[in-house]
C-alpha cells in the first residue's frame, strides 16, 4: 500500500533518471562530498528527498530489535514512520523491529503521494497527498497520461512545489503546472500534510 501511495514520487524519480541520469537510489557520496558519506555503504538517498538506512545485521534476541549506524548530514532529519527528529552532522545508532527500517526526510523535503492506497487506480485524476516537512525546499512533480508515448511529443506536466520557513512562519506554494493543457484534469483534490513536529 505504501508503494502504491508513493507512485507519483517514484514516477517523478524515474523521469529524472531518464532525463538527467539521476539514480532513484543514490549513494550518499553522490550528494555529500565528505569522508563520512563513503563509510555508509548500504545507506542511500531515495528519490532525491528521503534518506534510507537498511538494517542488515541480525536481531538482538534480548531486545528483539536490529540496528544500524546511520550517518546524518548536517540539518534536521525526521523519521517518516515514527516521527522521531534527529540533528545531523553525526553518526547515530538506530534500532528497529522486523517491520521497519530508518527512512528519514530532511528539513524542507516534499514527497507527493496518492491519497488513496485502497485501489490500483493509476489515473492522473487521482487525488494527491503532499507531505511537507518544515524547512526550505522545492520539488518538481512530473506527470503524464501513464498510458501512451505522448510525453515524447511534450504532453506532460511539471508542477513545482516550494516550502519556505522563517521562524514560526511557513509558506507553501504550488506553482501553476507547466504544459498542463491536455494533460492534467481541470480540477483535482490535493491534501497538504505539514509535518510540524517540534
Amino acid at each position: 500500500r505504501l508503494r502504491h501511495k508513493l507512485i507519483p514520487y517514484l514516477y517523478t524519480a524515474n523521469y529524472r533518471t531518464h532525463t538527467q541520469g539521476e539514480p532513484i537510489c543514490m549513494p550518499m557520496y553522490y550528494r555529500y562530498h565528505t569522508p563520512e558519506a563513503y563509510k555508509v555503504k548500504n545507506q542511500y538517498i531515495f528519490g532525491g528527498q528521503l534518506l534510507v538506512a537498511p538494517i542488515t545485521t541480525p536481531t538482538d534476541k534480548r531486545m528483539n530489535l536490529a540496528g544500524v549506524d546511520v550517518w546524518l548530514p548536517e540539518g534536521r532529519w525526521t523519521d517518516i514512520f515514527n516521527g522521531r527528529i534527529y540533528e545531523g552532522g553525526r553518526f547515530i545508532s538506530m534500532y528497529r523491529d522486523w517491520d521497519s527500517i530508518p527512512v528519514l526526510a530532511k528539513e524542507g523535503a516534499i514527497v507527493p503521494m496518492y491519497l488513496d492506497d485502497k485501489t490500483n487506480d493509476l489515473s492522473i485524476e487521482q487525488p494527491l497527498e503532499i507531505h511537507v516537512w518544515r524547512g526550505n525546499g522545492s520539488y518538481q512533480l512530473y506527470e503524464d497520461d501513464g498510458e501512451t508515448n505522448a510525453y515524447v511529443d511534450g504532453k506532460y506536466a511539471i508542477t513545482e512545489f516550494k516550502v519556505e520557513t522563517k521562524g514560526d512562519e511557513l509558506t507553501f506554494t504550488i506553482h501553476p503546472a507547466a504544459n498542463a493543457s491536455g494533460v492534467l484534469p481541470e480540477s483535482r483534490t490535493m491534501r497538504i500534510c505539514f509535518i510540524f513536529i517540534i
Side-chain angles (χ1 to χ4, degrees):
R1 289 185 176 184
L2 177 60
R3 181 199 173 276
H4 179 78
K5 287 193 74 164
L6 281 170
I7 284 177
Y9 183 69
L10 295 170
Y11 204 66
T12 299
N14 276 293
Y15 171 75
R16 283 207 311 270
T17 298
H18 171 67
T19 57
Q20 301 168 26
E22 181 179 301
I24 295 173
C25 295
M26 181 189 316
M28 297 299 292
Y29 54 79
Y30 274 30
R31 182 167 288 177
Y32 301 97
H33 306 292
T34 65
E36 294 86 355
Y38 290 86
K39 294 177 182 176
V40 286
K41 297 177 182 177
N42 290 332
Q43 189 175 309
Y44 58 92
I45 300 294
F46 176 60
Q49 300 287 299
L50 301 173
L51 183 154
V52 181
I55 297 175
T56 57
T57 58
T59 298
D60 183 319
K61 292 181 181 177
R62 294 169 297 161
M63 298 188 301
N64 208 23
L65 299 171
V68 60
D69 289 331
V70 181
W71 174 62
L72 295 178
E74 292 289 340
R76 172 188 166 110
W77 296 85
T78 305
D79 190 307
I80 69 166
F81 294 125
N82 61 29
R84 289 189 186 118
I85 296 172
Y86 304 91
E87 280 302 319
R90 59 190 173 132
F91 281 88
I92 301 174
S93 295
M94 296 186 187
Y95 294 87
R96 300 291 186 270
D97 60 18
W98 285 76
D99 294 330
S100 66
I101 61 172
V103 178
L104 300 111
K106 189 174 182 182
E107 56 194 341
I110 300 169
V111 177
M113 299 183 185
Y114 282 145
L115 181 59
D116 183 15
D117 67 351
K118 304 293 188 290
T119 72
N120 288 326
D121 187 356
L122 301 176
S123 66
I124 203 162
E125 291 83 12
Q126 279 289 301
L128 294 177
E129 182 176 272
I130 314 297
H131 289 235
V132 182
W133 281 265
R134 188 179 67 180
N136 297 299
S138 63
Y139 183 86
Q140 292 187 330
L141 173 67
Y142 169 84
E143 296 175 285
D144 59 34
D145 66 18
E147 296 177 3
T148 70
N149 290 333
Y151 69 91
V152 174
D153 299 320
K155 293 194 174 177
Y156 59 84
I158 295 180
T159 306
E160 183 175 6
F161 303 104
K162 190 169 186 181
V163 60
E164 295 177 281
T165 306
K166 292 179 182 176
D168 292 337
E169 184 178 306
L170 183 143
T171 304
F172 182 68
T173 307
I174 303 174
H175 294 276
N179 291 344
S181 179
V183 179
L184 295 179
E186 287 188 18
S187 64
R188 188 182 212 179
T189 300
M190 286 191 190
R191 176 190 290 172
I192 314 300
C193 298
F194 295 105
I195 316 297
F196 281 137
I197 303 168
I198 297 175

